[in-house]
């Protein structure tokens, strides 16, 4: 059975790409909206298919092909490290988009994200420097900078670019995505209290987000707040059962029992 990545790449290859380009403001908004949809991807392949289907029908090869590259980049996270074949496939669509127009900030941000993912950090740094010099207040430029500095582990720069991404979000959806990314970065760095603070900001508007509840449970478990962790993992599993969630619930219950044995 073909992987999600292979199927998505086949969809892009079979698309009827335009030979002439449309550059209307409405199309630009559609491109941005499709990127926002993709940015909300967690682990549901349906989001990837929806985004790809939006990109391949755009009457603009730059937007469409860059979007296809971004979708494949997101799908590549099923692998811990990019294979040469996968990296070449993603690079093909990004380079094809740049051949149409190499000046679109969002397209260049996708390229930086790809370079970071493929561990080409020196080239990523060079491309990012040029991008933010020309487009310092572009939302996607700020997000790619945040992604780059998170990968380097420079938390001072992460804080700077996280704030700049927030300031340039200009919508609640984009603001939530920035806060989510900041929470994930803090969690990856084992900054548990900071991660908890970011995730808690998202609770009120995400009552059916199993991924958020799972992240909350993971952080609370790391903080040894077993009762709260158990409550959140139960909420997560009630919405969507996953192997990761099921195992975490077992770990929390095991730890809770172990602590109770120490009580007088």
């Amino acid at each position: 059975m073909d992987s999600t990545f292979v199927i998505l790449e086949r969809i892009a290859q079979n698309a009827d790409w335009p030979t002439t380009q449309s550059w209307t403001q409405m199309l630009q908004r559609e491109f941005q909206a499709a990127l926002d949809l993709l940015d909300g991807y967690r682990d549901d392949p349906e989001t990837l298919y929806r985004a790809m289907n939006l990109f391949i029908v755009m009457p603009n090869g730059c937007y469409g092909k860059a979007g296809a590259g971004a979708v494949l980049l997101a799908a590549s996270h099923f692998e811990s490290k990019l294979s040469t074949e996968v990296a070449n496939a993603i690079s093909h669509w990004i380079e094809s988009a740049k051949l149409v127009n190499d000046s679109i900030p969002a397209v260049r941000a996708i390229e930086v994200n790809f370079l970071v993912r493929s561990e080409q950090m020196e080239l990523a740094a060079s491309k990012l420097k040029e991008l933010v010099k020309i487009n310092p207040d572009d939302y996607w430029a700020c997000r790619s900078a945040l992604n780059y500095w998170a990968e380097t582990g420079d938390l001072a720069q992460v804080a700077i670019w996280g704030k700049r991404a927030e300031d340039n979000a200009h919508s609640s959806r984009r603001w939530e995505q920035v806060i989510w990314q900041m929470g994930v970065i803090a969690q990856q760095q084992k900054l548990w209290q900071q991660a908890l603070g970011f995730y808690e900001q998202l609770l009120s508007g995400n009552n059916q987000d199993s991924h958020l509840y799972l992240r909350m449970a993971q952080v609370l478990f790391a903080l040894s707040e077993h009762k709260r962790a158990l409550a959140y993992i139960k909420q997560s599993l009630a919405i969507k059962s996953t192997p990761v969630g099921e195992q975490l619930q077992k770990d929390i219950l095991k730890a809770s029992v172990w602590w109770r044995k120490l009580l007088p």
Side-chain angles (χ1 to χ4, degrees):
M1 184 177 179
D2 290 335
S3 68
T4 299
F5 184 94
V6 169
I7 296 171
L8 287 165
E9 185 185 14
R10 190 177 299 138
I11 292 171
Q13 289 173 342
N14 292 332
D16 186 16
W17 297 105
T19 55
T20 58
Q21 315 303 325
S22 173
W23 297 100
T24 65
Q25 288 189 347
M26 180 177 292
L27 183 57
Q28 183 181 16
R29 287 194 294 269
E30 290 176 1
F31 176 55
Q32 294 288 329
L35 289 176
D36 285 331
L37 170 65
L38 179 61
D39 197 33
Y41 168 70
R42 300 292 181 257
D43 64 0
D44 180 11
E46 183 62 30
T47 300
L48 299 179
Y49 290 117
R50 287 175 59 200
M52 181 65 87
N53 287 332
L54 290 173
F55 288 124
I56 63 173
V57 298
M58 289 184 177
N60 182 297
C62 178
Y63 291 159
K65 292 176 181 180
V71 171
L72 293 174
L73 181 59
S76 75
H77 285 272
F78 287 112
E79 301 184 18
S80 59
K81 188 173 182 178
L82 283 185
S83 67
T84 300
E85 182 180 4
V86 168
N88 288 342
I90 299 169
S91 178
H92 164 75
W93 292 108
I94 295 173
E95 291 302 317
S96 296
K98 290 169 58 185
L99 286 175
V100 179
N101 190 327
D102 192 25
S103 66
I104 306 298
V107 176
R108 301 180 77 177
I110 293 168
E111 180 184 24
V112 171
N113 291 337
F114 165 67
L115 293 172
V116 170
R117 175 77 171 98
S118 56
E119 300 180 354
Q120 301 179 62
M121 297 303 287
E122 288 188 14
L123 184 54
S126 175
K127 297 279 187 179
L128 177 62
K129 183 178 180 180
E130 182 180 1
L131 172 60
V132 297
K133 181 180 180 181
I134 300 173
N135 307 100
D137 297 322
D138 180 78
Y139 173 71
W140 298 112
C142 294
R143 288 292 303 280
S144 66
L146 177 55
N147 185 44
Y148 171 84
W149 289 112
E151 188 66 22
T152 68
D154 190 329
L155 298 184
Q157 288 292 331
V158 165
I160 290 170
W161 286 101
K163 181 62 168 60
R164 291 184 69 167
E166 277 192 73
D167 291 343
N168 290 286
H170 304 313
S171 74
S172 59
R173 180 172 186 169
R174 288 187 170 184
W175 176 84
E176 288 178 356
Q177 290 303 122
V178 176
I179 299 302
W180 171 268
Q181 187 177 5
M182 293 294 287
V184 171
I185 292 169
Q187 185 176 352
Q188 290 171 340
Q189 296 292 328
K190 298 184 179 181
L191 301 172
W192 308 121
Q193 287 291 352
Q194 290 92 323
L196 184 63
F198 285 120
Y199 293 145
E200 285 179 334
Q201 293 183 62
L202 300 174
L203 284 175
S204 61
N206 293 277
N207 295 328
Q208 294 298 314
D209 190 338
S210 63
H211 300 93
L212 177 58
Y213 292 143
L214 174 61
R215 291 277 182 174
M216 286 285 295
Q218 290 171 333
V219 170
L220 289 165
F221 182 50
L223 291 168
S224 297
E225 295 191 34
H226 299 143
K227 185 175 180 179
R228 292 182 65 197
L230 185 59
Y232 278 111
I233 196 58
K234 285 182 176 179
Q235 286 181 277
S236 176
L237 292 172
I239 299 168
K240 183 179 180 180
S241 180
T242 63
V244 172
E246 295 285 355
Q247 184 58 53
L248 179 59
Q249 180 172 244
K250 292 177 182 178
D251 292 341
I252 295 169
L253 289 170
K254 183 178 179 180
S256 301
V257 171
W258 184 81
W259 276 107
R260 280 201 293 270
K261 288 181 179 179
L262 298 181
L263 296 175

